[in-house]
Amino acid sequence: MSALPDFLKGPEWKDATQEPLTGDASARRYFRLRTGNNTAILMDASRIKEVIGPFVGMDEHLLQLGFSAPKIFARDSENGFLLLEDFGDQTFSGLLDGGLDAETLFMLGTDVLASLHKHPGAVPNGLRTYYPQAMRQDAELYLIVHGISGAGENEFRTIWNEILPLAHQIPVSLLLRDYHAANLMMLARREGVRRAGLLDFQDAYRGPVTYDLVSLLEDARRDLPPGLKEKMITRYLNEFPALDRAQFRTSMTILSALRHTRVLAVFEKLSREGKPDYKQLHSPRVERMLRESLQHSKLRGLRDWFTRYAP
């Protein structure tokens, strides 16, 4: 670990044991601190200190809205450390791997989104908006990773410029962006939507309500039981009877293609950097979900592009 932050040198935590925890694909690292009966999670973002401010701001906002984000016990923004409430080890991913009923967990995850999107104060003042141009730029990582330029690059941008506005013809709300089973915790002692502990939300935007639902129901890392995705979409839509169903479905499909295009590029990039597991384990699933989304009539041009230019 980098040099310890000052808040770990005080009497409460100076003698704490440190247990490394499994991280994610980012440069952040996590440790469980334990002293007596007290535990906390140390986030070490010393290599990407710029995430501390957005994480703290969104954490405080979610807590104010009444959702279960981890309380922040101490911070060292200058050096990139946070001391967080310990939500335990029951991630949705782990519970699913252990055989817990998937419908129970995805119902809770879906209900959190519905509750969040109903909240009139869901989007904090000044939060950046995930405009179509920003989405297209995220998708362009695929071009960079695969070295596609010239006509292929120009066609790619033109196609996304045409279809992404269709994804925005629905209501907007707070978009957490990395909302999936690995970033959701089961907090069994809490009630209602507060049973879901929220993690990894520093990349939040203001954007279409469909984005996080796609992230949850089309997880790059796992397959859902047959029929569960449609059941959860119906569950969500039942909370918003005024939503135009066709526009909602089109938005979901376009954002599905967007996410899977970018994720494939991220996994390819990680593989080339010496982390092949993501590509080997998950890229076939992501490719399948991308092919499924490309069957939508609005995505015919993108489907043709992949036929011509995809490696």
Side-chain angles (χ1 to χ4, degrees), residues 79-130:
N79 294 304
F81 291 96
L82 291 174
L83 190 65
L84 306 172
E85 178 182 5
D86 186 356
F87 277 168
D89 298 308
Q90 291 194 314
T91 64
F92 280 25
S93 288
L95 292 170
L96 289 165
D97 292 341
L100 190 66
D101 176 54
E103 185 167 342
T104 298
L105 294 173
F106 281 95
M107 282 173 57
L108 177 55
T110 301
D111 290 349
V112 169
L113 291 180
S115 179
L116 179 62
H117 297 163
K118 285 181 177 180
H119 201 297
V123 182
N125 292 332
L127 185 66
R128 58 188 179 172
T129 298
Y130 206 15

Side-chain angles (χ1 to χ4, degrees), residues 35 43 70 79 93 99 110 114 153 174 192 235 245 248 272 305:
T35 175
M43 177 196 288
N79 294 304
S93 288
T110 301
E153 178 182 11
L174 179 60
R235 184 178 181 87
R245 270 42 180 173
F248 185 89
R272 297 179 187 181
W305 185 92

Side-chain angles (χ1 to χ4, degrees), residues 111-165:
D111 290 349
V112 169
L113 291 180
S115 179
L116 179 62
H117 297 163
K118 285 181 177 180
H119 201 297
V123 182
N125 292 332
L127 185 66
R128 58 188 179 172
T129 298
Y130 206 15
Y131 290 114
Q133 182 179 4
M135 289 183 170
R136 190 206 74 210
Q137 289 170 347
D138 280 345
E140 288 173 5
L141 179 63
Y142 192 93
L143 301 176
I144 296 170
V145 168
H146 293 291
I148 300 171
S149 59
E153 178 182 11
N154 293 333
E155 289 178 31
F156 188 87
R157 289 175 173 168
T158 298
I159 291 166
W160 283 111
N161 286 340
E162 292 173 350
I163 62 178
L164 280 170

Side-chain angles (χ1 to χ4, degrees), residues 42-287:
L42 178 67
M43 177 196 288
D44 176 359
S46 55
R47 290 178 286 180
I48 46 171
K49 301 171 188 175
E50 64 274 10
V51 307
I52 295 294
F55 183 95
V56 170
M58 188 52 57
D59 186 280
E60 293 174 344
H61 177 68
L62 289 168
L63 286 170
Q64 187 176 25
L65 293 179
F67 295 93
S68 290
K71 295 177 182 177
I72 298 174
F73 298 141
R75 72 184 74 173
D76 179 354
S77 300
E78 182 177 353
N79 294 304
F81 291 96
L82 291 174
L83 190 65
L84 306 172
E85 178 182 5
D86 186 356
F87 277 168
D89 298 308
Q90 291 194 314
T91 64
F92 280 25
S93 288
L95 292 170
L96 289 165
D97 292 341
L100 190 66
D101 176 54
E103 185 167 342
T104 298
L105 294 173
F106 281 95
M107 282 173 57
L108 177 55
T110 301
D111 290 349
V112 169
L113 291 180
S115 179
L116 179 62
H117 297 163
K118 285 181 177 180
H119 201 297
V123 182
N125 292 332
L127 185 66
R128 58 188 179 172
T129 298
Y130 206 15
Y131 290 114
Q133 182 179 4
M135 289 183 170
R136 190 206 74 210
Q137 289 170 347
D138 280 345
E140 288 173 5
L141 179 63
Y142 192 93
L143 301 176
I144 296 170
V145 168
H146 293 291
I148 300 171
S149 59
E153 178 182 11
N154 293 333
E155 289 178 31
F156 188 87
R157 289 175 173 168
T158 298
I159 291 166
W160 283 111
N161 286 340
E162 292 173 350
I163 62 178
L164 280 170
L166 301 177
H168 290 252
Q169 294 180 346
I170 58 168
V172 298
S173 185
L174 179 60
L175 185 161
L176 299 177
R177 200 175 188 204
D178 288 311
Y179 189 83
H180 51 76
N183 288 333
L184 294 168
M185 307 286 297
M186 175 58 79
L187 308 177
R189 295 184 179 180
R190 303 188 184 184
E191 297 182 352
V193 295
R194 296 192 71 250
R195 289 180 297 147
L198 307 179
L199 305 175
D200 203 3
F201 37 68
Q202 66 281 338
D203 291 328
Y205 281 89
R206 175 183 180 271
V209 295
T210 44
Y211 190 94
D212 282 342
L213 197 60
V214 170
S215 180
L216 176 68
L217 300 179
E218 297 192 21
D219 194 333
R221 296 168 177 82
R222 68 177 54 252
D223 295 312
L224 270 63
L228 185 58
K229 173 185 169 182
E230 281 302 314
K231 195 168 186 177
M232 293 303 104
I233 293 173
T234 299
R235 184 178 181 87
Y236 179 91
L237 287 172
N238 285 342
E239 297 296 319
F240 301 93
L243 270 178
D244 184 295
R245 270 42 180 173
Q247 290 179 343
F248 185 89
R249 295 281 184 166
T250 297
S251 179
M252 278 200 73
T253 303
I254 292 170
L255 296 182
S256 168
L258 175 77
R259 280 187 59 83
H260 299 325
T261 298
R262 178 169 174 80
V263 167
L264 285 172
V266 170
F267 288 172
E268 178 64 32
K269 183 172 182 290
L270 289 171
S271 181
R272 297 179 187 181
E273 293 171 352
K275 300 177 182 178
D277 288 355
Y278 291 96
K279 179 179 178 180
Q280 292 173 0
L281 294 174
H282 306 305
S283 285
R285 175 184 301 107
V286 179
E287 289 171 354

